[in-house]
């Protein structure tokens, strides 16, 4: 049974991970610009608006200000719009300003103590922690096959974190012999109640064998060991039903709006 106080946990998430976000990796800064909190860093890292507290009177000016900021830095950026963000027509205002909407996801959260941490793997598969460039290369290889496209920016960001802030990230590979078949990472936010599950991807031939669930359990155990009360996921439609069965609950939606200068 879902026992989370949705409103309280959502407010805690906003306060700790959006308003109180910390920079991760070299050359990254998080700053408040009026009623906007944004993250700016190298081109291979995530650039964008983490939080906004806008209304009808200031939204358009704030949007224009962020476009100027990132354009001056030559950065493609993302405005992450959550379902409870204002004003009610924020999405329409972003589209009118030249942003493009990507697929909506669902912010899902669970208490680490309420989830199973038993890792059940198919025969012949073992988990391997990622600690060096060779491991990161295998992570990007899995992501390229699982999601399509070029995952090298994620690899560069992971290398940056492992080198300069290893306490903020943990990555894991599922290996079938010498073949990488699934990969995922855990973003750890020191001093907060939350850890984030990101990048859980499995190559097509190995889907449906429980690897996604195993990597969720493995990372949940790590999060609990590091003292985080909750794990959160920005869940795609394909993973939302699995996460619900595992014990996650939906707090709100989140949609990326992307601007390319």
């Amino acid at each position: 049974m879902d026992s989370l106080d949705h409103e309280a946990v959502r407010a805690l998430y906003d306060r700790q991970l959006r308003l109180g976000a910390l920079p991760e990796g070299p050359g990254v800064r998080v700053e408040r610009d009026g009623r906007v909190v944004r993250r700016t860093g190298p081109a291979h890292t995530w650039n964008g608006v983490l939080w906004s507290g806008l209304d009808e009177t200031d939204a358009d000016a704030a949007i224009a200000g962020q476009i100027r900021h990132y354009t001056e830095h030559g950065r493609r950026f993302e405005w992450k719009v959550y379902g409870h963000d204002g004003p009610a027509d924020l999405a329409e205002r972003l589209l009118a300003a030249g942003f493009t909407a990507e697929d909506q996801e669902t912010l899902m959260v669970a208490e680490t103590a309420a989830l199973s941490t038993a890792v059940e793997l198919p025969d012949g598969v073992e988990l391997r922690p990622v600690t060096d460039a060779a491991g990161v290369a295998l992570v990007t290889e899995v992501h390229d096959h699982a999601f399509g496209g070029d995952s090298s920016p994620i690899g560069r960001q992971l290398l940056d974190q492992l080198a300069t802030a290893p306490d903020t990230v943990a990555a894991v590979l599922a290996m079938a012999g010498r073949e990488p078949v699934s990969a995922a990472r855990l973003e750890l936010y020191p001093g907060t109640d939350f850890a984030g599950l990101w990048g859980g991807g499995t190559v097509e031939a190995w889907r449906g064998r429980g690897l996604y669930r195993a990597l969720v359990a493995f990372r949940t155990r790590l999060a609990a060991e590091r003292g985080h009360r909750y794990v959160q996921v920005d869940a795609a439609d394909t993973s939302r039903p699995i996460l619900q069965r595992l014990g996650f609950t939906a707090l709100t939606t989140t949609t990326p709006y992307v601007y390319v200068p």
Side-chain angles (χ1 to χ4, degrees):
M1 182 176 178
D2 182 1
S3 60
L4 286 180
D5 182 334
H6 289 210
E7 187 172 341
V9 175
R10 191 177 67 191
L12 183 66
Y13 176 90
D14 282 350
R15 187 166 65 252
Q16 291 188 345
L17 296 193
R18 300 180 69 198
L19 272 163
L22 297 175
E24 301 151 1
V28 175
R29 66 182 187 276
V30 174
E31 56 197 358
R32 185 156 185 167
D33 179 30
R35 297 173 70 185
V36 167
V37 175
R38 66 189 178 210
R39 185 182 192 273
T40 309
H44 67 275
T45 65
W46 187 88
N47 284 266
V49 172
L50 294 158
W51 173 89
S52 63
L54 306 173
D55 58 30
E56 294 82 357
T57 66
D58 59 3
D60 290 336
I63 292 168
Q66 301 318 305
I67 290 174
R68 285 194 301 273
H69 168 77
Y70 287 104
T71 299
E72 288 170 0
H73 288 79
R75 295 287 182 265
R76 171 189 185 277
F77 77 103
E78 177 182 307
W79 192 304
K80 251 175 108 62
V81 177
Y82 289 77
H84 57 290
D85 288 346
D89 63 349
L90 178 58
E92 288 76 12
R93 292 172 187 262
L94 291 168
L95 292 172
F99 288 75
T100 300
E102 296 190 345
D103 292 340
Q104 184 182 89
E105 295 178 320
T106 303
L107 173 62
M108 304 190 76
V109 172
E111 290 193 84
T112 54
L115 298 181
S116 170
T117 57
V119 177
E120 300 178 6
L121 295 168
D123 290 342
V125 176
E126 64 177 7
L127 298 187
R128 182 184 302 173
V130 175
T131 60
D132 56 19
V136 171
L138 293 178
V139 170
T140 58
E141 178 183 328
V142 170
H143 285 356
D144 285 348
H145 289 301
F147 302 123
D150 178 13
S151 300
S152 60
I154 294 173
R156 290 182 64 189
Q157 185 170 338
L158 179 54
L159 277 174
D160 285 347
Q161 284 182 262
L162 289 172
T164 64
D167 61 332
T168 67
V169 68
V172 60
L173 284 160
M175 303 291 295
R178 301 181 67 178
E179 179 189 2
V181 295
S182 190
R185 71 186 190 277
L186 175 70
E187 296 284 345
L188 297 151
Y189 308 111
T192 78
D193 292 286
F194 296 90
L197 307 183
W198 295 91
T202 302
V203 300
E204 187 172 3
W206 282 83
R207 291 172 187 165
R209 305 194 199 186
L211 286 172
Y212 183 83
R213 293 191 301 275
L215 292 182
V216 169
F218 178 81
R219 288 176 291 166
T220 297
R221 185 169 65 201
L222 287 181
E225 290 171 353
R226 302 285 184 91
H228 297 279
R229 181 178 179 183
Y230 302 104
V231 282
Q232 60 86 202
V233 187
D234 287 356
D237 289 342
T238 51
S239 55
R240 177 174 175 169
I242 302 171
L243 292 164
Q244 285 179 321
R245 290 194 295 271
L246 293 176
F248 284 76
T249 187
L251 289 186
T252 186
T253 59
T254 176
T255 306
Y257 286 81
V258 176
Y259 189 92
V260 181

